[in-house]
Amino acid sequence: MKKFFTTIRNIFAIEELRTRIINTLGFLVIFRLGSFIVLPGVDPAKLPDQPTQGIFGLLDTFLGGAFSNASIFALGIMPYISASIVMQLLGTAVPYFQKMQKEGESGRNKINQITRVLTIAICIAQGIGYVSTQVPTEAIAIDPTFFRISSLIVLASGTIFTMWLGERITDKGIGNGISMLIMIGIISRFPGAIIAEATTK
């Protein structure tokens, strides 16, 4: 145990490493706080109390509860991951993208730009499905049409902001930012899962 605390003290003695750790923790805190901000126009008291089940429950776990909370981060980083997978598949099957991958830095920049645009398109598609199926009608406190339009904008903005947080963690923090966001989402669900399991027994 003494060696553990000595190691921690030595880590924080290095200024650059200490700064990166603080930056990482700060960005993760921002991500977690955003997971509790409900979409404008939603009455949180009328959201379902029971946890989301099935594939949506798994997604909710990765997002740290943001999915079931009707949060502004409800889609999280998943549209970006989906867009990245699509681009990887295109890179193996479409000659145009294969050529782009071989262009070095300029090619990677083009691929990143296309990935971001594709992310927004996926956000809109997933946002329509999310608002239509996961937000109960009785929980919508404003005009439904305005709510759907505004929610699509907010959800897409939330995903873009989450992407930005992931990039900042990669650049100014520790480890891969996207992986860190997924990890903190999963870890944050453990206490709630334990409490829910205890209350059902």
Side-chain angles (χ1 to χ4, degrees):
M1 184 62 70
K2 184 178 180 180
K3 289 183 178 180
F4 173 77
F5 287 111
T6 301
T7 302
I8 297 297
R9 185 169 62 251
N10 292 337
I11 289 175
F12 278 90
I14 304 173
E15 183 178 357
E16 182 181 357
L17 188 55
R18 181 174 67 247
T19 301
R20 285 183 171 273
I21 292 174
I22 293 173
N23 288 340
T24 301
L25 293 176
F27 291 133
L28 292 178
V29 167
I30 293 173
F31 174 69
R32 287 304 302 148
L33 290 176
S35 300
F36 295 99
I37 301 176
V38 180
L39 286 170
V42 172
D43 184 357
K46 295 183 180 179
L47 291 174
D49 293 330
Q50 67 273 17
T52 309
Q53 302 295 328
I55 186 65
F56 292 132
L58 179 62
L59 180 60
D60 194 41
T61 299
F62 284 126
L63 298 176
F67 192 87
S68 59
N69 291 339
S71 161
I72 59 174
F73 289 168
L75 300 182
I77 203 68
M78 295 306 170
Y80 175 72
I81 294 176
S82 300
S84 299
I85 294 173
V86 170
M87 291 303 297
Q88 289 178 359
L89 294 175
L90 291 176
T92 60
V94 181
Y96 174 77
F97 292 101
Q98 291 176 349
K99 180 182 177 182
M100 197 178 295
Q101 289 178 339
K102 298 176 181 178
E103 292 178 355
E105 187 66 26
S106 62
R108 284 193 294 271
N109 290 336
K110 291 178 183 178
I111 291 175
N112 288 336
Q113 292 298 325
I114 296 174
T115 302
R116 290 186 175 97
V117 173
L118 184 58
T119 298
I120 295 175
I122 293 175
C123 276
I124 294 174
Q126 290 185 353
I128 292 173
Y130 177 79
V131 172
S132 301
T133 63
Q134 298 300 310
V135 181
T137 304
E138 60 271 16
I140 301 175
I142 59 176
D143 179 70
T145 302
F146 178 75
F147 170 74
R148 291 186 177 90
I149 296 174
S150 63
S151 293
L152 290 179
I153 297 173
V154 172
L155 288 171
S157 300
T159 294
I160 294 171
F161 183 71
T162 305
M163 288 169 51
W164 180 83
L165 285 177
E167 292 174 353
R168 294 288 73 76
I169 292 174
T170 301
D171 293 340
K172 300 181 181 299
I174 297 176
N176 181 278
I178 304 301
S179 300
M180 293 293 287
L181 293 178
I182 294 175
M183 181 198 71
I184 196 65
I186 295 174
I187 291 176
S188 65
R189 294 294 286 170
F190 286 157
I194 293 173
I195 294 174
E197 182 69 20
T199 54
T200 56
K201 292 182 177 181

